[in-house]
Amino acid sequence: MWKVQSGCNFGLKTFVLTRNAIGVGHARVAVIDNSYVTGKQQQCQAVQLHQPHRCNSSASRLTDYKRGKGGRSSFSGMVATVFGCSGFFGKYVVNRLGKMGCQVICPYRGDPYDVKEPKLMGDLGQILFLPIHLEDEASLRKAMQYSNVVVNLIGKNNETRNFSFEDVNYLGAQRIARLAKESGVEKLLHFSSLNACPNPAGHVLPEGSEFLRTKFKGEMAVREEFPEAIVFRPADMFGQLDHFLTLYARPYRRVAGLGGVTYIPLYKKGRTTVKQPVFASDVGDGVVKALLDPGCMGKTFDIVGPHRYRLDHLITYIYQVLRYSPSNIRLTEFNRTLPFKLQMRLINFVRPVSPPYSLDRIEREFVTDTLTPGNPTLADLGVQLTPLEHRIHWEIKPYRLYNYYWASIGEFPEPDPPPLAH
């Protein structure tokens, strides 16, 4: 007989079928209750039902096997918890996992509308949601108690009064790795950052990027708590509503001058910085391949695109795609652009919680992408990499000049791709 714990206020009930291991072990059945109350309180109770009596009958082990013919309406046997599912890249990961028939637990902090998109990425009962707090171990443990895979994407481009880089990138990552190990999770995939190091060199900030410093500490902490974890160290990712191409496409990152001239402040005018951006969809494919490959356990991957670009060439190309005249684009020295510094401080004062950029984000912009010798890449996982030139017209189309003007063929010449750097 199944027996439900008493005293639970059930709202929308969703059954979760999970296993102790991929391909082995008996099924566990849980009910996750997503009942919301007024005000700031949100309740989510997980009730574990009694485990079925162990026997040799195949009927008691039906949930140990795959269900369906594959796709979003099937169950592949993998149950994954994706921390950071409400972010830019989280949607790519949830979509890839849902497409392969994975049941996905989506923990989130904030408004439920922040996770409205992942609801469509799997069939009914395949995508589940659970309110959490990064400092509440009980909620974190509840989010992965039925999962055999955990993906940690939690990150922030700027600090807030509630969370510092240390809280998110180091302490939060360490806490998730420790609880994943205690919960019996088989695979943990942790997202760090390319160029993360204990003492990053300074460009705009004399002490260097605190984000990169704490990302390195978090990576080391994850290795200590979960030695067989898979670590991804991605470069700047581009895609729909990203934090790379749109950073330059939006008006916050430039200063308008007289006569239609546009000034973009850069460290040493971008001539000493080399970037190797990667398409977010390719990274999503790499996540799935790494989770399915037993040989990836304990490895660290440098996640980069196929081409390297000098920053000044790349930004000039971005603005030409945005239909700016090359004669009106001015790349200036960052430290000599006082209007931009005043604009940046004003924006951060008006929008302290989610500013479009911060000083630390600007600092990371001028760090050259450097690969670690010996680290495998997406190419080693068999991912076909997409060059930035093949996607940029679609990704920044909403930000073009004269976007509602019906241009004739050839009226706006197609810019040449930027030269490749080494």
Side-chain angles (χ1 to χ4, degrees), residues 99-114:
K99 187 177 181 180
M100 60 173 284
C102 178
Q103 192 172 53
V104 186
I105 314 297
C106 295
Y108 67 95
R109 170 182 172 268
D111 196 282
Y113 283 103
D114 294 338

mmCIF file of all heavy atoms in Angstrom, residues 99-114:
data_model
loop_
_atom_site.group_PDB
_atom_site.id
_atom_site.type_symbol
_atom_site.label_atom_id
_atom_site.label_comp_id
_atom_site.label_asym_id
_atom_site.label_seq_id
_atom_site.Cartn_x
_atom_site.Cartn_y
_atom_site.Cartn_z
ATOM 1 N N LYS A 99 14.398 17.522 -24.886
ATOM 2 C CA LYS A 99 14.317 16.942 -26.227
ATOM 3 C C LYS A 99 14.735 15.483 -26.232
ATOM 4 O O LYS A 99 14.243 14.687 -27.036
ATOM 5 C CB LYS A 99 15.197 17.762 -27.176
ATOM 6 C CG LYS A 99 15.092 17.372 -28.632
ATOM 7 C CD LYS A 99 15.944 18.288 -29.488
ATOM 8 C CE LYS A 99 15.831 17.932 -30.973
ATOM 9 N NZ LYS A 99 16.669 18.845 -31.799
ATOM 10 N N MET A 100 15.641 15.097 -25.330
ATOM 11 C CA MET A 100 16.110 13.709 -25.295
ATOM 12 C C MET A 100 15.308 12.849 -24.330
ATOM 13 O O MET A 100 15.677 11.705 -24.053
ATOM 14 C CB MET A 100 17.585 13.671 -24.909
ATOM 15 C CG MET A 100 17.881 14.261 -23.547
ATOM 16 S SD MET A 100 19.594 14.023 -23.031
ATOM 17 C CE MET A 100 19.562 12.303 -22.585
ATOM 18 N N GLY A 101 14.189 13.383 -23.795
ATOM 19 C CA GLY A 101 13.350 12.592 -22.919
ATOM 20 C C GLY A 101 13.800 12.566 -21.481
ATOM 21 O O GLY A 101 13.465 11.645 -20.735
ATOM 22 N N CYS A 102 14.546 13.562 -21.080
ATOM 23 C CA CYS A 102 15.000 13.648 -19.693
ATOM 24 C C CYS A 102 13.953 14.365 -18.855
ATOM 25 O O CYS A 102 13.322 15.322 -19.311
ATOM 26 C CB CYS A 102 16.327 14.396 -19.638
ATOM 27 S SG CYS A 102 16.979 14.638 -17.987
ATOM 28 N N GLN A 103 13.753 13.896 -17.643
ATOM 29 C CA GLN A 103 12.875 14.612 -16.723
ATOM 30 C C GLN A 103 13.719 15.658 -15.994
ATOM 31 O O GLN A 103 14.758 15.341 -15.416
ATOM 32 C CB GLN A 103 12.237 13.655 -15.719
ATOM 33 C CG GLN A 103 11.101 14.288 -14.929
ATOM 34 C CD GLN A 103 10.378 13.257 -14.084
ATOM 35 O OE1 GLN A 103 11.005 12.539 -13.330
ATOM 36 N NE2 GLN A 103 9.073 13.198 -14.210
ATOM 37 N N VAL A 104 13.301 16.914 -16.041
ATOM 38 C CA VAL A 104 14.127 18.029 -15.580
ATOM 39 C C VAL A 104 13.462 18.710 -14.389
ATOM 40 O O VAL A 104 12.290 19.103 -14.460
ATOM 41 C CB VAL A 104 14.359 19.058 -16.706
ATOM 42 C CG1 VAL A 104 15.342 20.131 -16.252
ATOM 43 C CG2 VAL A 104 14.877 18.367 -17.963
ATOM 44 N N ILE A 105 14.217 18.846 -13.311
ATOM 45 C CA ILE A 105 13.797 19.629 -12.151
ATOM 46 C C ILE A 105 14.415 21.015 -12.300
ATOM 47 O O ILE A 105 15.627 21.143 -12.442
ATOM 48 C CB ILE A 105 14.258 18.988 -10.826
ATOM 49 C CG1 ILE A 105 13.958 17.481 -10.825
ATOM 50 C CG2 ILE A 105 13.618 19.686 -9.636
ATOM 51 C CD1 ILE A 105 12.498 17.145 -10.894
ATOM 52 N N CYS A 106 13.585 22.045 -12.270
ATOM 53 C CA CYS A 106 14.036 23.422 -12.489
ATOM 54 C C CYS A 106 13.889 24.227 -11.202
ATOM 55 O O CYS A 106 12.838 24.831 -10.955
ATOM 56 C CB CYS A 106 13.237 24.080 -13.616
ATOM 57 S SG CYS A 106 13.476 23.329 -15.233
ATOM 58 N N PRO A 107 14.914 24.259 -10.363
ATOM 59 C CA PRO A 107 14.860 25.117 -9.171
ATOM 60 C C PRO A 107 15.033 26.575 -9.581
ATOM 61 O O PRO A 107 15.812 26.885 -10.485
ATOM 62 C CB PRO A 107 16.038 24.642 -8.317
ATOM 63 C CG PRO A 107 16.580 23.436 -9.009
ATOM 64 C CD PRO A 107 16.175 23.524 -10.427
ATOM 65 N N TYR A 108 14.323 27.464 -8.917
ATOM 66 C CA TYR A 108 14.418 28.876 -9.276
ATOM 67 C C TYR A 108 14.213 29.732 -8.043
ATOM 68 O O TYR A 108 13.637 29.308 -7.041
ATOM 69 C CB TYR A 108 13.382 29.248 -10.344
ATOM 70 C CG TYR A 108 11.944 29.176 -9.864
ATOM 71 C CD1 TYR A 108 11.281 30.307 -9.388
ATOM 72 C CD2 TYR A 108 11.249 27.965 -9.868
ATOM 73 C CE1 TYR A 108 9.979 30.236 -8.934
ATOM 74 C CE2 TYR A 108 9.948 27.893 -9.424
ATOM 75 C CZ TYR A 108 9.312 29.021 -8.963
ATOM 76 O OH TYR A 108 8.029 28.948 -8.499
ATOM 77 N N ARG A 109 14.726 30.955 -8.129
ATOM 78 C CA ARG A 109 14.547 31.939 -7.072
ATOM 79 C C ARG A 109 13.943 33.180 -7.716
ATOM 80 O O ARG A 109 14.466 33.696 -8.692
ATOM 81 C CB ARG A 109 15.889 32.276 -6.417
ATOM 82 C CG ARG A 109 15.840 33.475 -5.468
ATOM 83 C CD ARG A 109 17.223 33.778 -4.902
ATOM 84 N NE ARG A 109 17.230 35.024 -4.148
ATOM 85 C CZ ARG A 109 17.513 36.204 -4.654
ATOM 86 N NH1 ARG A 109 17.822 36.313 -5.937
ATOM 87 N NH2 ARG A 109 17.496 37.299 -3.909
ATOM 88 N N GLY A 110 12.838 33.665 -7.178
ATOM 89 C CA GLY A 110 12.217 34.850 -7.744
ATOM 90 C C GLY A 110 10.799 34.559 -8.189
ATOM 91 O O GLY A 110 10.118 33.665 -7.683
ATOM 92 N N ASP A 111 10.368 35.308 -9.188
ATOM 93 C CA ASP A 111 8.997 35.206 -9.673
ATOM 94 C C ASP A 111 8.824 33.975 -10.557
ATOM 95 O O ASP A 111 9.706 33.654 -11.354
ATOM 96 C CB ASP A 111 8.647 36.469 -10.467
ATOM 97 C CG ASP A 111 7.155 36.623 -10.666
ATOM 98 O OD1 ASP A 111 6.614 35.928 -11.538
ATOM 99 O OD2 ASP A 111 6.536 37.433 -9.952
ATOM 100 N N PRO A 112 7.683 33.271 -10.456
ATOM 101 C CA PRO A 112 7.457 32.109 -11.342
ATOM 102 C C PRO A 112 7.475 32.468 -12.821
ATOM 103 O O PRO A 112 7.746 31.602 -13.659
ATOM 104 C CB PRO A 112 6.071 31.608 -10.908
ATOM 105 C CG PRO A 112 5.897 32.090 -9.504
ATOM 106 C CD PRO A 112 6.626 33.402 -9.432
ATOM 107 N N TYR A 113 7.181 33.727 -13.165
ATOM 108 C CA TYR A 113 7.215 34.123 -14.570
ATOM 109 C C TYR A 113 8.632 34.086 -15.131
ATOM 110 O O TYR A 113 8.813 34.091 -16.352
ATOM 111 C CB TYR A 113 6.623 35.513 -14.744
ATOM 112 C CG TYR A 113 5.117 35.541 -14.692
ATOM 113 C CD1 TYR A 113 4.446 35.986 -13.558
ATOM 114 C CD2 TYR A 113 4.343 35.101 -15.767
ATOM 115 C CE1 TYR A 113 3.052 36.002 -13.494
ATOM 116 C CE2 TYR A 113 2.969 35.105 -15.721
ATOM 117 C CZ TYR A 113 2.329 35.558 -14.584
ATOM 118 O OH TYR A 113 0.963 35.550 -14.533
ATOM 119 N N ASP A 114 9.638 34.061 -14.277
ATOM 120 C CA ASP A 114 11.015 33.978 -14.760
ATOM 121 C C ASP A 114 11.310 32.626 -15.410
ATOM 122 O O ASP A 114 12.294 32.496 -16.150
ATOM 123 C CB ASP A 114 11.995 34.206 -13.602
ATOM 124 C CG ASP A 114 11.913 35.622 -13.045
ATOM 125 O OD1 ASP A 114 11.441 36.510 -13.775
ATOM 126 O OD2 ASP A 114 12.317 35.835 -11.884
#
